[in-house]
Amino acid sequence: MNEYDSSRMADLLASTHGYERTEQAEEADMVLLNTCSVREKAQEKVFSLLGRWREIKEKNKKLVIGVGGCVASQEGKMIMQRAPYVDMVFGPQTLHRLPRMLDEVLQEHSQSVDVSFPEIEKFDNLPPPRVDGVKAFVSIMEGCSKYCSFCVVPYTRGTEFSRPFDDVIEEVVGLAEQGVREINLLGQNVNGYRGKTHEGRTVEFAELLHYVAAVEGIDRLRYTTSHPIDFTDELVDAYAAIPELVSHLHLPVQSGSDRVLKAMKRGYTAAEYIEWMDKVRRHRPDISMSSDFIIGFPGETDEDFQDTMRLIERVNYDHSFSFIYSQRPGTPAELLEDDVPMTVKKERLAHLQKTILGSAAAISEKMVGTVQSVLVEGPSRKDPSQYSGRTENNRVVNFDGNESMVGHFVDVLITEALPNSLRGDMQSEGFDLPMVRQFAAQIKVT
Ligand code: SAM
């Protein structure tokens, strides 16, 4: 989400102030730090980086320094108390006001702070996104109203709100016209989407998927990230009905222990979660699954952790985002004693990650000898004579290709599974995957 927000800031400042991107802070007229506060470690990095930028500003007095994102939202003016050389502090919902804040700094030589939550106004004030490549994010909702006991997001990004349906579709059509083939719908809980049409009807997430998949040129559809509590039967059925929807589901479970899930205020049990995953697998037996996990939540016992490991083995995950619990200010869990010793947390995390890496390696091995549809993104990073793209389950595949394949789907025979990628031989070019799938579905019906 921060990646998306950062690119919108770049688009916006390019259109209003003619700014261009540079990766070198020493060359910049302005440096912006887009922060995350979901875990303490990310937050700590903010002030150490600001310290380095202070030295650059001592040499270049005109350098404008801005801090945005969730740390900015949480700390507000306090950032300037600790780092008085910061010129602007803006939140995730006020980044569209950056040009105005920048003018204030440049013309009035004053500091500018705006971390309010004006909600949908943000999207109405951003230019249409420019893309460079075949994949794009589209933000469909923001904020969170789930109030999990460990999480700071509802307090830093505000409560859930959905972008109007027509605006989302217009953005997707615009992206498809620029050559985008794969859309990743973005939000804290995308499946909580409830967007209004211009007629005032509410469109839920599963219905939105049908409309986005129907946009000419969009052949692959992903979403990031969803919450199990909003995993409706309509969404399960979308896996049967929408061939563009990739065979990869990221559904964060956090823990496999019902006791811990209750303390986290997640609103479901491990058995209910497994049932949702099983229902999806009935439609897509080979779907790859991934999840977020929090290790060492207050009170997590060995037995609770074993429940998590049992769930992991049952689901057979392909990937995880797993982190040690981090106590966050202002959350209900802050009041609970952070009582699991760090050594135990680290051991549990290492065990969980090793197990999931093991199943991911086994899934990669199973792919050897199969033909995968790969969306070609460009020359391979390590070997420019090779081309690179991704499979539906998001694995990087490198193969002998050429420039004309970029932006197209090609069939690749997987020949080797490496720790972080696959190697393959191209079989044929330019199959239109959704058409092939639809054709296959028709044969089945007949
Ligand atoms: N839809 C997601 C869900 O179901 O929770 C929300 C994504 S959340 C913003 C991103 C991830 O950060 C969470 O899934 C969780 O694993 C992790 N996270 C959030 N708060 C955390 C904390 N206090 N300590 C460690 N990890 C945390």
Side-chain angles (χ1 to χ4, degrees), residues 190-191 205-207 209 223 226-227 230-240 242 245 249 251 280 283:
V190 280
N191 53 338
F205 184 60
E207 190 181 351
L209 288 177
Y223 55 85
S226 51
H227 192 295
D230 289 323
F231 210 80
T232 58
D233 284 344
E234 288 76 16
L235 184 47
V236 171
D237 293 342
Y239 284 88
I242 306 178
L245 192 55
L249 170 60
L251 192 62
V280 173
H283 294 310

Side-chain angles (χ1 to χ4, degrees), residues 256-271:
S257 153
D258 288 342
R259 214 180 58 78
V260 174
L261 287 172
K262 198 164 175 216
M264 289 177 165
K265 294 202 168 56
R266 293 291 290 178
Y268 54 84
T269 62

